[in-house]
């Protein structure tokens, strides 16, 4: 069965990688429907329907970057995944809404996938509002925030 074969492959890879000093990895398996495993799977975005699954969760740079493996669950495939992670050639996974197709209004929509581009790697000052669509205070602030953004844009402000 797939789960048993995966468990054997995973154990083999953990054993092979045990003495690797270049970006060491702690291999572990987790349940996804109970306890701490459920909380971790919710954070990562793994469901019981998508198991078995391989993810690297890396605490580098004081964040928990997530890298999902999307290939076949073979030893060679996972070895390649580990090598790509160690070579910094994997793209981080964000639990994010899609980037809006149109985003040229004074108030920009920032999601996980465009946060670095619009906020972190920006040479302008950024005024950022965290908005919850169900929140009455957020809904009341939205038109005032849009007015302020429009005024700042018209004035050529450094704040974006």
């Amino acid at each position: 069965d797939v789960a048993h074969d995966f468990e054997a492959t995973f154990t083999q890879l953990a054993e092979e990688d045990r003495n690797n000093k270049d970006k060491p990895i702690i291999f572990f398996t987790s349940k996804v429907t109970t306890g701490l495993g459920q909380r971790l799977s919710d954070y990562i975005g793994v469901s019981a329907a998508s198991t078995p699954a391989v993810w690297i969760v890396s605490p580098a740079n004081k964040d928990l970057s997530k890298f999902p493996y999307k290939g076949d669950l073979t030893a060679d495939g996972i070895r390649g995944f580990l090598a790509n992670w160690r070579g910094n050639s994997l793209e981080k996974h964000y639990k994010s809404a899609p980037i809006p197709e149109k985003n040229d209004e004074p108030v920009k929509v920032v999601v996980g996938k465009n946060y670095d581009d619009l906020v972190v790697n920006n040479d302008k000052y950024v005024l950022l509002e965290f908005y919850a669509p169900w929140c009455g205070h957020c809904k009341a602030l939205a038109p005032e925030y849009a007015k302020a953004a429009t005024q700042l844009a018209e004035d050529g402000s450094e704040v974006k």
Side-chain angles (χ1 to χ4, degrees), residues 21-58:
K21 303 296 182 218
D22 178 37
K23 290 176 87 172
I25 294 175
I26 299 169
F27 287 75
F28 72 92
T29 60
S30 175
K31 303 287 185 199
V32 297
T33 56
T34 59
L36 185 58
Q38 181 178 14
R39 290 177 42 207
L40 178 62
S41 66
D42 287 346
Y43 172 74
I44 293 173
V46 175
S47 67
S50 65
T51 60
V54 175
W55 287 67
I56 292 176
V57 180
S58 174

Side-chain angles (χ1 to χ4, degrees), residues 93-99 109-117:
H93 171 79
Y94 293 96
K95 195 172 178 181
S96 170
I99 296 173
V109 176
V110 178
V111 296
K113 292 180 178 179
N114 69 359
Y115 179 85
D116 283 348
D117 290 337

Side-chain angles (χ1 to χ4, degrees), residues 141-158:
L141 178 61
E144 299 303 318
Y145 194 80
K147 276 192 235 174
T150 300
Q151 186 65 52
L152 288 167
E154 289 172 358
D155 293 347
S157 173
E158 288 291 311

Side-chain angles (χ1 to χ4, degrees), residues 49-133:
S50 65
T51 60
V54 175
W55 287 67
I56 292 176
V57 180
S58 174
N61 302 321
K62 297 187 180 183
D63 72 358
L64 288 176
S65 299
K66 299 172 281 192
F67 304 92
Y69 175 62
K70 297 177 183 165
D72 292 330
L73 295 175
T74 63
D76 286 341
I78 297 169
R79 278 187 202 101
F81 172 64
L82 299 177
N84 288 338
W85 176 74
R86 286 190 170 110
N88 298 316
S89 63
L90 296 179
E91 189 174 316
K92 283 184 192 181
H93 171 79
Y94 293 96
K95 195 172 178 181
S96 170
I99 296 173
E101 288 184 30
K102 184 176 184 243
N103 205 12
D104 56 0
E105 299 296 321
V107 175
K108 309 287 186 240
V109 176
V110 178
V111 296
K113 292 180 178 179
N114 69 359
Y115 179 85
D116 283 348
D117 290 337
L118 294 178
V119 178
V120 177
N121 302 325
N122 188 335
D123 61 349
K124 305 286 183 192
Y125 296 100
V126 177
L127 179 61
L128 186 64
E129 174 198 13
F130 291 91
Y131 181 90

Side-chain angles (χ1 to χ4, degrees), residues 1-12 29 31 51-53 73:
D1 93 331
V2 174
H4 183 268
D5 292 345
F6 172 74
E7 188 175 320
T9 299
F10 192 79
T11 301
Q12 172 193 345
T29 60
K31 303 287 185 199
T51 60
L73 295 175

